[in-house]
Amino acid sequence: MDKVKVIEIKKSVYESNDREADMLRQELKSRGIFLLNLMSSPGSGKTTTLKQTINQMKNEFKIGVMEADIDSDVDAITIAKETGVKSIQLHTGGMCHLDAGMTKQGLDELIENDIDFAILENVGNLVCPAEFDTGATKNAMILSVPEGHDKPLKYPLMFSICDVVLINKIDVMPYFDFDMDECIKNIKYRNPNATVIPVCAKTGEGIDKFADWLREQIKANI
Amino acid sequence: MDKVKVIEIKKSVYESNDREADMLRQELKSRGIFLLNLMSSPGSGKTTTLKQTINQMKNEFKIGVMEADIDSDVDAITIAKETGVKSIQLHTGGMCHLDAGMTKQGLDELIENDIDFAILENVGNLVCPAEFDTGATKNAMILSVPEGHDKPLKYPLMFSICDVVLINKIDVMPYFDFDMDECIKNIKYRNPNATVIPVCAKTGEGIDKFADWLREQIKANI
């Protein structure tokens, strides 16, 4: 099995996460690094989406990935093996989210590899990760069709703070009571400015639109 | 739209949640009340599973349901409308889990209605709810097929503390890369004593087995 670096991250020592996050964002901008924070429920397809996206963009950018999990290294190994980009595993030691200080512990390792596009795959959780600014340039989330179109009503903060919402697993829409129009309406109710992109990470459908969105954001950040 | 009682729950004042949870469990036992704590990711089918289960058991037990959500009352209204049992909505005010003190705030309301089987539908989250003992007699969780069979490897504590794991949405197994044997193996790796029941809450398949399991537990608790 491929080996990936595993970092057991420590609790942050900073008193104000918001301040630390702003400082990290500024530092990344001055170094010309774009940081994407990707969030979702467990099993919504974060790793598969990243695989497809990275394979479309890795010839244009020097990409590095941080996979945050409470336990297990399977995601970092998958990314390393199937995309070839630098991938590290962050073990949160039971913690349900990452904050800016924790993100920085992973970034220090990626920056040594001279990357310009860093991706943080956050812990699978629609609640806590929304409460902690990681210092990311942009926040993205995935809502998958089987979870249902009512989720923006139940997890308001997550949908409010994300710049882009991917609606994943659209290939199985015929088998679920999922109303796409209602879903987009619910997302826009929480966040009128959110970009919504339906995708199927398994087949790659729609991932080109997400890659285009990312290219625009990265360009705007320089 | 039907009206249900909404309780804005407050942060617990107790120093030791474990002690408070044990006391609550004892109190419930002495009153002859069985409390089930049902947990899962967002969109795994908690409310649909409860609807089917309650409709199979409501003639044998006086059931009351607490629906915990950060926001929205849709689940409590659905349960009240489609099962007719007493249902209250707990708003957690952004909190990602319920502890024993918070559960008690909802139970005080249900106990007035002379129930003997109380159900707490916890916040949709595979991380934090596992860390806080609610005082429940038994813990149940749902893992749905679209989430993938690897989830017990990534969310170890949740699978360790649950007495029963329902594998929901088995009707869509043909459309997902889900390996049932592997899933059961992963659950047993985290918790050799867990009972595993495959179900389809939408059609009701397997819910009779969950109801039988609940009857046994309720009987053992008297």
Side-chain angles (χ1 to χ4, degrees), chain A residues 63-85:
Chain A
I63 301 175
V65 178
M66 298 175 279
E67 291 287 338
D69 266 308
I70 292 167
D71 204 353
S72 103
D73 312 332
V74 289
D75 289 345
I77 292 168
T78 302
I79 292 289
K81 210 156 55 175
E82 299 190 24
T83 70
V85 304

mmCIF file with all atom_site columns, all heavy atoms in Angstrom, chain A residues 63-85:
data_model
loop_
_atom_site.group_PDB
_atom_site.id
_atom_site.type_symbol
_atom_site.label_atom_id
_atom_site.label_alt_id
_atom_site.label_comp_id
_atom_site.label_asym_id
_atom_site.label_entity_id
_atom_site.label_seq_id
_atom_site.pdbx_PDB_ins_code
_atom_site.Cartn_x
_atom_site.Cartn_y
_atom_site.Cartn_z
_atom_site.occupancy
_atom_site.B_iso_or_equiv
_atom_site.pdbx_formal_charge
_atom_site.auth_seq_id
_atom_site.auth_comp_id
_atom_site.auth_asym_id
_atom_site.auth_atom_id
_atom_site.pdbx_PDB_model_num
ATOM 1   N N   . ILE A 1 63 ? -0.670  21.248 -7.208  1.00 0.00 ? 63 ILE A N   1
ATOM 2   C CA  . ILE A 1 63 ? -1.729  20.993 -6.222  1.00 0.00 ? 63 ILE A CA  1
ATOM 3   C C   . ILE A 1 63 ? -1.216  20.158 -5.050  1.00 0.00 ? 63 ILE A C   1
ATOM 4   O O   . ILE A 1 63 ? -0.403  19.247 -5.225  1.00 0.00 ? 63 ILE A O   1
ATOM 5   C CB  . ILE A 1 63 ? -2.918  20.263 -6.903  1.00 0.00 ? 63 ILE A CB  1
ATOM 6   C CG1 . ILE A 1 63 ? -3.475  21.116 -8.070  1.00 0.00 ? 63 ILE A CG1 1
ATOM 7   C CG2 . ILE A 1 63 ? -4.031  19.962 -5.901  1.00 0.00 ? 63 ILE A CG2 1
ATOM 8   C CD1 . ILE A 1 63 ? -4.573  20.453 -8.886  1.00 0.00 ? 63 ILE A CD1 1
ATOM 9   N N   . GLY A 1 64 ? -1.694  20.494 -3.864  1.00 0.00 ? 64 GLY A N   1
ATOM 10  C CA  . GLY A 1 64 ? -1.421  19.684 -2.676  1.00 0.00 ? 64 GLY A CA  1
ATOM 11  C C   . GLY A 1 64 ? -2.707  19.486 -1.893  1.00 0.00 ? 64 GLY A C   1
ATOM 12  O O   . GLY A 1 64 ? -3.526  20.400 -1.804  1.00 0.00 ? 64 GLY A O   1
ATOM 13  N N   . VAL A 1 65 ? -2.899  18.292 -1.321  1.00 0.00 ? 65 VAL A N   1
ATOM 14  C CA  . VAL A 1 65 ? -4.160  17.974 -0.647  1.00 0.00 ? 65 VAL A CA  1
ATOM 15  C C   . VAL A 1 65 ? -3.928  17.577 0.806   1.00 0.00 ? 65 VAL A C   1
ATOM 16  O O   . VAL A 1 65 ? -3.000  16.817 1.109   1.00 0.00 ? 65 VAL A O   1
ATOM 17  C CB  . VAL A 1 65 ? -4.893  16.822 -1.385  1.00 0.00 ? 65 VAL A CB  1
ATOM 18  C CG1 . VAL A 1 65 ? -6.187  16.456 -0.672  1.00 0.00 ? 65 VAL A CG1 1
ATOM 19  C CG2 . VAL A 1 65 ? -5.186  17.209 -2.825  1.00 0.00 ? 65 VAL A CG2 1
ATOM 20  N N   . MET A 1 66 ? -4.772  18.103 1.685   1.00 0.00 ? 66 MET A N   1
ATOM 21  C CA  . MET A 1 66 ? -4.775  17.673 3.095   1.00 0.00 ? 66 MET A CA  1
ATOM 22  C C   . MET A 1 66 ? -6.088  16.950 3.351   1.00 0.00 ? 66 MET A C   1
ATOM 23  O O   . MET A 1 66 ? -7.158  17.521 3.167   1.00 0.00 ? 66 MET A O   1
ATOM 24  C CB  . MET A 1 66 ? -4.712  18.889 4.019   1.00 0.00 ? 66 MET A CB  1
ATOM 25  C CG  . MET A 1 66 ? -3.455  19.716 3.855   1.00 0.00 ? 66 MET A CG  1
ATOM 26  S SD  . MET A 1 66 ? -3.497  21.222 4.872   1.00 0.00 ? 66 MET A SD  1
ATOM 27  C CE  . MET A 1 66 ? -4.495  22.306 3.833   1.00 0.00 ? 66 MET A CE  1
ATOM 28  N N   . GLU A 1 67 ? -5.986  15.693 3.767   1.00 0.00 ? 67 GLU A N   1
ATOM 29  C CA  . GLU A 1 67 ? -7.182  14.899 4.048   1.00 0.00 ? 67 GLU A CA  1
ATOM 30  C C   . GLU A 1 67 ? -7.364  14.817 5.552   1.00 0.00 ? 67 GLU A C   1
ATOM 31  O O   . GLU A 1 67 ? -6.563  14.186 6.240   1.00 0.00 ? 67 GLU A O   1
ATOM 32  C CB  . GLU A 1 67 ? -7.001  13.480 3.482   1.00 0.00 ? 67 GLU A CB  1
ATOM 33  C CG  . GLU A 1 67 ? -6.988  13.405 1.972   1.00 0.00 ? 67 GLU A CG  1
ATOM 34  C CD  . GLU A 1 67 ? -8.377  13.610 1.385   1.00 0.00 ? 67 GLU A CD  1
ATOM 35  O OE1 . GLU A 1 67 ? -9.369  13.384 2.114   1.00 0.00 ? 67 GLU A OE1 1
ATOM 36  O OE2 . GLU A 1 67 ? -8.468  13.997 0.210   1.00 0.00 ? 67 GLU A OE2 1
ATOM 37  N N   . ALA A 1 68 ? -8.421  15.455 6.065   1.00 0.00 ? 68 ALA A N   1
ATOM 38  C CA  . ALA A 1 68 ? -8.659  15.418 7.512   1.00 0.00 ? 68 ALA A CA  1
ATOM 39  C C   . ALA A 1 68 ? -9.625  14.295 7.855   1.00 0.00 ? 68 ALA A C   1
ATOM 40  O O   . ALA A 1 68 ? -10.705 14.203 7.270   1.00 0.00 ? 68 ALA A O   1
ATOM 41  C CB  . ALA A 1 68 ? -9.226  16.754 7.979   1.00 0.00 ? 68 ALA A CB  1
ATOM 42  N N   . ASP A 1 69 ? -9.212  13.451 8.754   1.00 0.00 ? 69 ASP A N   1
ATOM 43  C CA  . ASP A 1 69 ? -10.078 12.381 9.233   1.00 0.00 ? 69 ASP A CA  1
ATOM 44  C C   . ASP A 1 69 ? -9.789  12.150 10.699  1.00 0.00 ? 69 ASP A C   1
ATOM 45  O O   . ASP A 1 69 ? -8.674  12.398 11.162  1.00 0.00 ? 69 ASP A O   1
ATOM 46  C CB  . ASP A 1 69 ? -9.825  11.076 8.458   1.00 0.00 ? 69 ASP A CB  1
ATOM 47  C CG  . ASP A 1 69 ? -10.777 10.898 7.285   1.00 0.00 ? 69 ASP A CG  1
ATOM 48  O OD1 . ASP A 1 69 ? -11.988 11.009 7.506   1.00 0.00 ? 69 ASP A OD1 1
ATOM 49  O OD2 . ASP A 1 69 ? -10.293 10.658 6.166   1.00 0.00 ? 69 ASP A OD2 1
ATOM 50  N N   . ILE A 1 70 ? -10.788 11.681 11.407  1.00 0.00 ? 70 ILE A N   1
ATOM 51  C CA  . ILE A 1 70 ? -10.591 11.328 12.801  1.00 0.00 ? 70 ILE A CA  1
ATOM 52  C C   . ILE A 1 70 ? -9.600  10.177 12.873  1.00 0.00 ? 70 ILE A C   1
ATOM 53  O O   . ILE A 1 70 ? -8.684  10.147 13.687  1.00 0.00 ? 70 ILE A O   1
ATOM 54  C CB  . ILE A 1 70 ? -11.944 10.939 13.421  1.00 0.00 ? 70 ILE A CB  1
ATOM 55  C CG1 . ILE A 1 70 ? -12.808 12.196 13.493  1.00 0.00 ? 70 ILE A CG1 1
ATOM 56  C CG2 . ILE A 1 70 ? -11.764 10.311 14.788  1.00 0.00 ? 70 ILE A CG2 1
ATOM 57  C CD1 . ILE A 1 70 ? -14.249 11.934 13.781  1.00 0.00 ? 70 ILE A CD1 1
ATOM 58  N N   . ASP A 1 71 ? -9.783  9.222  11.973  1.00 0.00 ? 71 ASP A N   1
ATOM 59  C CA  . ASP A 1 71 ? -8.939  8.036  11.943  1.00 0.00 ? 71 ASP A CA  1
ATOM 60  C C   . ASP A 1 71 ? -8.850  7.599  10.478  1.00 0.00 ? 71 ASP A C   1
ATOM 61  O O   . ASP A 1 71 ? -9.522  8.153  9.633   1.00 0.00 ? 71 ASP A O   1
ATOM 62  C CB  . ASP A 1 71 ? -9.583  6.935  12.795  1.00 0.00 ? 71 ASP A CB  1
ATOM 63  C CG  . ASP A 1 71 ? -8.564  5.928  13.307  1.00 0.00 ? 71 ASP A CG  1
ATOM 64  O OD1 . ASP A 1 71 ? -7.396  6.000  12.899  1.00 0.00 ? 71 ASP A OD1 1
ATOM 65  O OD2 . ASP A 1 71 ? -8.949  5.060  14.099  1.00 0.00 ? 71 ASP A OD2 1
ATOM 66  N N   . SER A 1 72 ? -8.050  6.651  10.175  1.00 0.00 ? 72 SER A N   1
ATOM 67  C CA  . SER A 1 72 ? -7.886  6.039  8.837   1.00 0.00 ? 72 SER A CA  1
ATOM 68  C C   . SER A 1 72 ? -7.136  6.941  7.867   1.00 0.00 ? 72 SER A C   1
ATOM 69  O O   . SER A 1 72 ? -7.225  8.164  7.940   1.00 0.00 ? 72 SER A O   1
ATOM 70  C CB  . SER A 1 72 ? -9.228  5.600  8.224   1.00 0.00 ? 72 SER A CB  1
ATOM 71  O OG  . SER A 1 72 ? -9.689  6.484  7.233   1.00 0.00 ? 72 SER A OG  1
ATOM 72  N N   . ASP A 1 73 ? -6.391  6.318  6.955   1.00 0.00 ? 73 ASP A N   1
ATOM 73  C CA  . ASP A 1 73 ? -5.588  7.064  5.971   1.00 0.00 ? 73 ASP A CA  1
ATOM 74  C C   . ASP A 1 73 ? -6.057  6.789  4.551   1.00 0.00 ? 73 ASP A C   1
ATOM 75  O O   . ASP A 1 73 ? -5.367  7.111  3.591   1.00 0.00 ? 73 ASP A O   1
ATOM 76  C CB  . ASP A 1 73 ? -4.103  6.633  6.056   1.00 0.00 ? 73 ASP A CB  1
ATOM 77  C CG  . ASP A 1 73 ? -3.605  6.613  7.481   1.00 0.00 ? 73 ASP A CG  1
ATOM 78  O OD1 . ASP A 1 73 ? -4.141  7.380  8.299   1.00 0.00 ? 73 ASP A OD1 1
ATOM 79  O OD2 . ASP A 1 73 ? -2.687  5.825  7.774   1.00 0.00 ? 73 ASP A OD2 1
ATOM 80  N N   . VAL A 1 74 ? -7.230  6.174  4.405   1.00 0.00 ? 74 VAL A N   1
ATOM 81  C CA  . VAL A 1 74 ? -7.636  5.703  3.080   1.00 0.00 ? 74 VAL A CA  1
ATOM 82  C C   . VAL A 1 74 ? -7.775  6.834  2.070   1.00 0.00 ? 74 VAL A C   1
ATOM 83  O O   . VAL A 1 74 ? -7.414  6.670  0.903   1.00 0.00 ? 74 VAL A O   1
ATOM 84  C CB  . VAL A 1 74 ? -8.950  4.866  3.126   1.00 0.00 ? 74 VAL A CB  1
ATOM 85  C CG1 . VAL A 1 74 ? -8.699  3.524  3.783   1.00 0.00 ? 74 VAL A CG1 1
ATOM 86  C CG2 . VAL A 1 74 ? -10.071 5.607  3.824   1.00 0.00 ? 74 VAL A CG2 1
ATOM 87  N N   . ASP A 1 75 ? -8.267  8.011  2.498   1.00 0.00 ? 75 ASP A N   1
ATOM 88  C CA  . ASP A 1 75 ? -8.495  9.088  1.530   1.00 0.00 ? 75 ASP A CA  1
ATOM 89  C C   . ASP A 1 75 ? -7.189  9.664  0.992   1.00 0.00 ? 75 ASP A C   1
ATOM 90  O O   . ASP A 1 75 ? -7.066  9.899  -0.212  1.00 0.00 ? 75 ASP A O   1
ATOM 91  C CB  . ASP A 1 75 ? -9.337  10.206 2.158   1.00 0.00 ? 75 ASP A CB  1
ATOM 92  C CG  . ASP A 1 75 ? -10.775 9.772  2.374   1.00 0.00 ? 75 ASP A CG  1
ATOM 93  O OD1 . ASP A 1 75 ? -11.176 8.742  1.786   1.00 0.00 ? 75 ASP A OD1 1
ATOM 94  O OD2 . ASP A 1 75 ? -11.496 10.449 3.119   1.00 0.00 ? 75 ASP A OD2 1
ATOM 95  N N   . ALA A 1 76 ? -6.220  9.874  1.865   1.00 0.00 ? 76 ALA A N   1
ATOM 96  C CA  . ALA A 1 76 ? -4.937  10.427 1.414   1.00 0.00 ? 76 ALA A CA  1
ATOM 97  C C   . ALA A 1 76 ? -4.242  9.448  0.474   1.00 0.00 ? 76 ALA A C   1
ATOM 98  O O   . ALA A 1 76 ? -3.641  9.838  -0.525  1.00 0.00 ? 76 ALA A O   1
ATOM 99  C CB  . ALA A 1 76 ? -4.043  10.746 2.612   1.00 0.00 ? 76 ALA A CB  1
ATOM 100 N N   . ILE A 1 77 ? -4.355  8.161  0.783   1.00 0.00 ? 77 ILE A N   1
ATOM 101 C CA  . ILE A 1 77 ? -3.748  7.140  -0.079  1.00 0.00 ? 77 ILE A CA  1
ATOM 102 C C   . ILE A 1 77 ? -4.438  7.135  -1.443  1.00 0.00 ? 77 ILE A C   1
ATOM 103 O O   . ILE A 1 77 ? -3.779  7.083  -2.486  1.00 0.00 ? 77 ILE A O   1
ATOM 104 C CB  . ILE A 1 77 ? -3.811  5.747  0.600   1.00 0.00 ? 77 ILE A CB  1
ATOM 105 C CG1 . ILE A 1 77 ? -2.896  5.732  1.837   1.00 0.00 ? 77 ILE A CG1 1
ATOM 106 C CG2 . ILE A 1 77 ? -3.410  4.638  -0.371  1.00 0.00 ? 77 ILE A CG2 1
ATOM 107 C CD1 . ILE A 1 77 ? -3.083  4.536  2.746   1.00 0.00 ? 77 ILE A CD1 1
ATOM 108 N N   . THR A 1 78 ? -5.772  7.217  -1.436  1.00 0.00 ? 78 THR A N   1
ATOM 109 C CA  . THR A 1 78 ? -6.538  7.248  -2.698  1.00 0.00 ? 78 THR A CA  1
ATOM 110 C C   . THR A 1 78 ? -6.104  8.426  -3.563  1.00 0.00 ? 78 THR A C   1
ATOM 111 O O   . THR A 1 78 ? -5.861  8.270  -4.759  1.00 0.00 ? 78 THR A O   1
ATOM 112 C CB  . THR A 1 78 ? -8.053  7.366  -2.401  1.00 0.00 ? 78 THR A CB  1
ATOM 113 O OG1 . THR A 1 78 ? -8.430  6.266  -1.581  1.00 0.00 ? 78 THR A OG1 1
ATOM 114 C CG2 . THR A 1 78 ? -8.880  7.346  -3.679  1.00 0.00 ? 78 THR A CG2 1
ATOM 115 N N   . ILE A 1 79 ? -6.039  9.612  -2.971  1.00 0.00 ? 79 ILE A N   1
ATOM 116 C CA  . ILE A 1 79 ? -5.676  10.814 -3.732  1.00 0.00 ? 79 ILE A CA  1
ATOM 117 C C   . ILE A 1 79 ? -4.255  10.675 -4.297  1.00 0.00 ? 79 ILE A C   1
ATOM 118 O O   . ILE A 1 79 ? -4.008  10.938 -5.476  1.00 0.00 ? 79 ILE A O   1
ATOM 119 C CB  . ILE A 1 79 ? -5.789  12.083 -2.847  1.00 0.00 ? 79 ILE A CB  1
ATOM 120 C CG1 . ILE A 1 79 ? -7.255  12.374 -2.485  1.00 0.00 ? 79 ILE A CG1 1
ATOM 121 C CG2 . ILE A 1 79 ? -5.138  13.290 -3.517  1.00 0.00 ? 79 ILE A CG2 1
ATOM 122 C CD1 . ILE A 1 79 ? -8.124  12.874 -3.629  1.00 0.00 ? 79 ILE A CD1 1
ATOM 123 N N   . ALA A 1 80 ? -3.324  10.225 -3.448  1.00 0.00 ? 80 ALA A N   1
ATOM 124 C CA  . ALA A 1 80 ? -1.927  10.089 -3.891  1.00 0.00 ? 80 ALA A CA  1
ATOM 125 C C   . ALA A 1 80 ? -1.835  9.101  -5.052  1.00 0.00 ? 80 ALA A C   1
ATOM 126 O O   . ALA A 1 80 ? -1.185  9.354  -6.063  1.00 0.00 ? 80 ALA A O   1
ATOM 127 C CB  . ALA A 1 80 ? -1.053  9.633  -2.734  1.00 0.00 ? 80 ALA A CB  1
ATOM 128 N N   . LYS A 1 81 ? -2.514  7.978  -4.912  1.00 0.00 ? 81 LYS A N   1
ATOM 129 C CA  . LYS A 1 81 ? -2.418  6.897  -5.888  1.00 0.00 ? 81 LYS A CA  1
ATOM 130 C C   . LYS A 1 81 ? -3.119  7.271  -7.200  1.00 0.00 ? 81 LYS A C   1
ATOM 131 O O   . LYS A 1 81 ? -2.634  6.975  -8.269  1.00 0.00 ? 81 LYS A O   1
ATOM 132 C CB  . LYS A 1 81 ? -3.060  5.642  -5.285  1.00 0.00 ? 81 LYS A CB  1
ATOM 133 C CG  . LYS A 1 81 ? -2.441  4.373  -5.785  1.00 0.00 ? 81 LYS A CG  1
ATOM 134 C CD  . LYS A 1 81 ? -2.592  3.182  -4.866  1.00 0.00 ? 81 LYS A CD  1
ATOM 135 C CE  . LYS A 1 81 ? -3.993  2.839  -4.451  1.00 0.00 ? 81 LYS A CE  1
ATOM 136 N NZ  . LYS A 1 81 ? -4.027  1.599  -3.660  1.00 0.00 ? 81 LYS A NZ  1
ATOM 137 N N   . GLU A 1 82 ? -4.278  7.924  -7.087  1.00 0.00 ? 82 GLU A N   1
ATOM 138 C CA  . GLU A 1 82 ? -5.087  8.104  -8.293  1.00 0.00 ? 82 GLU A CA  1
ATOM 139 C C   . GLU A 1 82 ? -4.920  9.465  -8.971  1.00 0.00 ? 82 GLU A C   1
ATOM 140 O O   . GLU A 1 82 ? -5.499  9.706  -10.017 1.00 0.00 ? 82 GLU A O   1
ATOM 141 C CB  . GLU A 1 82 ? -6.560  7.813  -7.972  1.00 0.00 ? 82 GLU A CB  1
ATOM 142 C CG  . GLU A 1 82 ? -6.725  6.374  -7.493  1.00 0.00 ? 82 GLU A CG  1
ATOM 143 C CD  . GLU A 1 82 ? -8.166  5.925  -7.380  1.00 0.00 ? 82 GLU A CD  1
ATOM 144 O OE1 . GLU A 1 82 ? -9.026  6.503  -8.063  1.00 0.00 ? 82 GLU A OE1 1
ATOM 145 O OE2 . GLU A 1 82 ? -8.424  5.014  -6.581  1.00 0.00 ? 82 GLU A OE2 1
ATOM 146 N N   . THR A 1 83 ? -4.165  10.378 -8.352  1.00 0.00 ? 83 THR A N   1
ATOM 147 C CA  . THR A 1 83 ? -3.913  11.659 -9.019  1.00 0.00 ? 83 THR A CA  1
ATOM 148 C C   . THR A 1 83 ? -2.421  11.972 -9.104  1.00 0.00 ? 83 THR A C   1
ATOM 149 O O   . THR A 1 83 ? -2.014  12.759 -9.940  1.00 0.00 ? 83 THR A O   1
ATOM 150 C CB  . THR A 1 83 ? -4.575  12.839 -8.264  1.00 0.00 ? 83 THR A CB  1
ATOM 151 O OG1 . THR A 1 83 ? -3.883  13.041 -7.024  1.00 0.00 ? 83 THR A OG1 1
ATOM 152 C CG2 . THR A 1 83 ? -6.048  12.589 -7.993  1.00 0.00 ? 83 THR A CG2 1
ATOM 153 N N   . GLY A 1 84 ? -1.634  11.378 -8.219  1.00 0.00 ? 84 GLY A N   1
ATOM 154 C CA  . GLY A 1 84 ? -0.192  11.631 -8.228  1.00 0.00 ? 84 GLY A CA  1
ATOM 155 C C   . GLY A 1 84 ? 0.224   12.923 -7.541  1.00 0.00 ? 84 GLY A C   1
ATOM 156 O O   . GLY A 1 84 ? 1.407   13.204 -7.426  1.00 0.00 ? 84 GLY A O   1
ATOM 157 N N   . VAL A 1 85 ? -0.741  13.720 -7.036  1.00 0.00 ? 85 VAL A N   1
ATOM 158 C CA  . VAL A 1 85 ? -0.344  14.976 -6.380  1.00 0.00 ? 85 VAL A CA  1
ATOM 159 C C   . VAL A 1 85 ? 0.037   14.704 -4.923  1.00 0.00 ? 85 VAL A C   1
ATOM 160 O O   . VAL A 1 85 ? -0.288  13.658 -4.354  1.00 0.00 ? 85 VAL A O   1
ATOM 161 C CB  . VAL A 1 85 ? -1.457  16.069 -6.449  1.00 0.00 ? 85 VAL A CB  1
ATOM 162 C CG1 . VAL A 1 85 ? -1.872  16.332 -7.891  1.00 0.00 ? 85 VAL A CG1 1
ATOM 163 C CG2 . VAL A 1 85 ? -2.648  15.736 -5.567  1.00 0.00 ? 85 VAL A CG2 1
#
